[in-house]
């Protein structure tokens, strides 16, 4: 008999990430690079181990190869445990049937055996596509103090943005009396972060009932949460006040990277009390040539800069050639910008080659949108990529 785990985390990492377009053609969204040396999933995994949660199931589905290889045995996040640790949970052939995960609730339903293996009291449901630092242990303590059946993390958003989220209406004690999925006329600004803590027995009950409902979308926001609320279960909102960004779109991914730089960065990745761990492969030190000019930028290990880099984030192993100009851009890693090339207001995936004298994007103040080049794209010398273009092959 295995010993008990008080809380098990289930990390939903199987979405297609279609709104990231070329960046997720070959890679699952949680495995997309961020901040030069990280991947999006590093934040959730680091939050878990920093919060004392050492048992994490990662539910994968779409393009899982890179993500599976990246997570490996979980050692970079101290999640390589004999009992517990991190486990990859893809859809599988069961005794009765096999199916892709049909929704967030169905994904957890298909893995109830994994949860029950640890005889846990609480289940923490997480998403793999958010950038934030959060102590889940404080949320769990709040959940227990309230005697809640379900606790939902919420963040205050501007009223004009509230219609983009699931909105919680609460009483003064934090109890939830109404949940509205993307309401046209929101009566609250408490937006769900997609982070839930459930009492395991309650979660199991509602998942089983939801699976039996042929008309259900098998989704937490559309089905499980409303059903529990309608049944009068004790549900509370946990207010989170730190940095949080859903990086499910090109613009939000670019904005989150830009939040790393500036005189007073909004997102601090250098906090020794809350480290963000990564399976970063050391690429040697940076080399900044005498000809280089760098302003307000985040330069990762292994970069070689001979040209100009302004207000940008450079991942590991990026080379910026002589006379090249990079501004307002995110270069994810092992990419080469040829001599005299220009890159403006762009997100450039890994292993991209931009030939000498090529032009990618346009100045931010004039551009139609963020230009995106997917993994392994090669832009020939002297060619131009129109601003706002999203390209997975050239």
């Amino acid at each position: 008999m295995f010993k008990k785990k008080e809380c098990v985390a289930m990390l939903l990492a199987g979405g297609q990430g279609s709104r990231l377009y070329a960046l997720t053609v070959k890679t699952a969204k949680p495995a997309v690079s961020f901040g030069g040396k990280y991947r999006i999933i590093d934040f959730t995994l680091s939050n878990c181990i920093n919060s004392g949660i050492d048992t994490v199931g990662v539910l994968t589905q779409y393009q899982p190869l890179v993500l599976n290889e990246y997570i490996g045995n979980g050692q970079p996040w101290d999640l390589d445990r004999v009992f517990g640790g991190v486990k990859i949970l893809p859809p599988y052939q069961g005794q009765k049937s096999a199916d892709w995960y049909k929704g967030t609730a169905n994904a957890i339903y298909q893995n109830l055996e994994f949860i029950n293996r640890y005889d846990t009291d609480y289940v923490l449901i997480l998403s793999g596509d958010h950038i934030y630092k959060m102590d889940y242990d404080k949320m769990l303590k709040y959940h227990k103090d309230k005697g809640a059946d379900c606790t939902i993390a919420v963040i205050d958003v501007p009223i004009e943005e509230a219609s983009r989220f699931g909105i919680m209406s609460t009483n003064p004690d934090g109890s939830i009396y109404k949940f509205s999925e993307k309401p046209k006329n929101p009566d609250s600004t408490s937006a769900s972060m997609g982070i839930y803590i459930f009492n395991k027995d309650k979660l199991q009950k509602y998942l089983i009932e939801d699976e039996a409902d042929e008309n259900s979308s098998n989704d937490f926001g559309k089905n499980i949460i409303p059903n529990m609320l309608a049944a009068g279960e004790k549900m509370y909102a946990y207010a989170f006040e730190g940095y949080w960004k859903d990086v499910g779109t090109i613009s939000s991914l670019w904005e989150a990277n830009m939040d790393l730089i500036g005189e007073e960065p909004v997102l601090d990745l250098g906090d020794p009390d809350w480290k963000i761990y990564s399976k970063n492969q050391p690429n040697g030190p940076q080399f900044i040539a005498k000809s280089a000019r760098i302003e307000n930028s985040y330069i990762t290990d292994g970069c070689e800069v001979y040209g100009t880099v302004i207000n940008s984030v450079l991942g590991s192993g990026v080379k910026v050639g002589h006379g090249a100009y990079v501004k307002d851009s995110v270069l994810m890693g092992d990419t080469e910008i040829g001599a005299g090339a220009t890159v403006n207001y762009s997100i450039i995936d890994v292993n991209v080659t931009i030939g000498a004298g090529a032009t990618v994007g346009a100045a931010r103040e004039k551009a139609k949108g963020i230009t995106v080049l997917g993994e392994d794209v090669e832009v020939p010398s002297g060619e131009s990529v129109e601003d706002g273009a999203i390209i997975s092959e050239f």
Side-chain angles (χ1 to χ4, degrees):
M1 179 67 182
F2 290 119
K3 60 183 179 180
K4 184 181 182 69
K5 294 284 187 182
E6 182 185 32
C7 183
V8 168
M10 301 295 279
L11 201 168
L12 296 161
Q16 186 173 350
S18 58
R19 292 179 299 164
L20 288 179
Y21 302 100
L23 302 179
T24 50
V25 169
K26 300 179 181 180
T27 304
K29 180 164 56 173
V32 169
S33 296
F34 177 81
K37 66 175 291 184
Y38 304 96
R39 295 181 188 257
I40 295 170
I41 200 170
D42 285 333
F43 289 81
T44 313
L45 292 177
S46 297
N47 287 342
C48 284
I49 200 63
N50 286 333
S51 302
I53 296 173
D54 63 7
T55 304
V56 185
V58 180
L59 286 68
T60 63
Q61 182 159 280
Y62 173 80
Q63 293 283 27
L65 181 61
V66 173
L67 183 61
N68 293 356
E69 288 183 342
Y70 183 72
I71 293 173
N73 67 354
Q75 187 273 331
W77 307 272
D78 192 26
L79 288 170
D80 53 336
R81 307 298 177 94
V82 175
F83 178 61
V86 65
K87 300 290 188 297
I88 303 295
L89 302 173
Y92 62 91
Q93 174 75 52
Q95 188 174 12
K96 296 181 180 178
S97 65
D99 205 347
W100 292 111
Y101 294 146
K102 293 178 287 187
T104 54
N106 174 259
I108 303 299
Y109 170 82
Q110 288 197 39
N111 288 283
L112 284 173
E113 184 177 345
F114 173 83
I115 293 170
N116 288 323
R117 175 184 179 89
Y118 298 100
D119 190 28
T120 188
D121 294 321
Y122 306 103
V123 181
L124 171 65
I125 309 292
L126 302 167
S127 175
D129 54 1
H130 298 154
I131 302 294
Y132 66 114
K133 296 188 287 186
M134 180 177 180
D135 189 342
Y136 303 135
D137 188 54
K138 290 182 178 179
M139 182 176 173
L140 180 58
K141 184 178 185 301
Y142 175 89
H143 177 86
K144 291 188 286 188
D145 288 346
K146 292 293 187 180
D149 297 308
C150 171
T151 298
I152 301 171
V154 298
I155 191 164
D156 190 57
V157 298
I159 187 66
E160 60 270 16
E161 295 182 16
S163 60
R164 298 195 296 110
F165 297 90
I167 295 297
M168 304 292 163
S169 301
T170 60
N171 296 305
D173 66 348
S175 59
I176 300 169
Y177 65 84
K178 178 182 168 185
F179 170 71
S180 305
E181 181 70 19
K182 299 181 180 180
K184 290 184 179 179
N185 299 299
D187 60 5
S188 166
T189 56
S190 293
S192 171
M193 298 168 66
I195 299 169
Y196 314 111
I197 293 179
F198 291 91
N199 291 350
K200 192 266 290 184
D201 292 342
K202 288 284 186 181
L203 174 64
Q204 182 165 279
K205 172 183 180 296
Y206 281 91
L207 287 177
I208 291 171
E209 291 176 358
D210 180 71
E211 190 65 21
D213 181 359
E214 294 181 356
N215 297 316
S216 175
S217 300
N218 306 122
D219 184 82
F220 277 99
K222 295 177 182 177
N223 306 108
I224 302 298
I225 302 303
N227 290 346
M228 291 186 70
L229 200 57
E233 303 291 1
K234 296 183 68 176
M235 306 182 73
Y236 283 82
Y238 175 78
F240 177 71
E241 297 181 349
Y243 179 93
W244 178 82
K245 178 85 77 172
D246 181 339
V247 288
T249 66
I250 293 296
S251 59
S252 62
L253 179 62
W254 183 87
E255 289 166 3
N257 274 275
M258 293 300 110
D259 286 340
L260 295 171
I261 54 182
E263 292 184 10
E264 295 184 9
V266 180
L267 176 60
D268 178 16
L269 299 186
D271 183 358
D273 296 324
W274 200 270
K275 290 184 178 179
I276 303 300
Y277 300 94
S278 167
K279 191 180 180 180
N280 181 45
Q281 298 298 320
N283 228 339
Q286 302 100 329
F287 175 74
I288 310 300
K290 190 175 182 180
S291 59
R293 174 190 167 205
I294 299 175
E295 293 181 10
N296 191 43
S297 294
Y298 202 92
I299 312 295
T300 315
D301 55 288
C303 289
E304 295 180 33
V305 181
Y306 300 88
T308 298
V309 178
I310 300 172
N311 203 54
S312 295
V313 175
L314 271 57
S316 181
V318 169
K319 181 177 179 180
V320 179
H322 287 280
Y325 181 87
V326 177
K327 186 176 181 183
D328 294 328
S329 295
V330 179
L331 280 55
M332 288 185 174
D334 296 317
T335 281
E336 183 168 348
I337 312 300
T342 298
V343 179
N344 263 306
Y345 197 36
S346 299
I347 296 179
I348 311 298
D349 208 342
V350 297
N351 300 317
V352 171
T353 301
I354 297 174
T359 300
V360 177
R364 183 183 176 190
E365 57 273 14
K366 298 179 180 179
K368 303 171 189 172
I370 300 169
T371 305
V372 181
L373 299 185
E375 183 177 348
D376 298 322
V377 166
E378 295 186 13
V379 179
S381 297
E383 292 286 344
S384 294
V385 177
E386 185 180 9
D387 57 301
I390 296 177
I391 297 175
S392 55
E393 57 182 43
F394 199 91

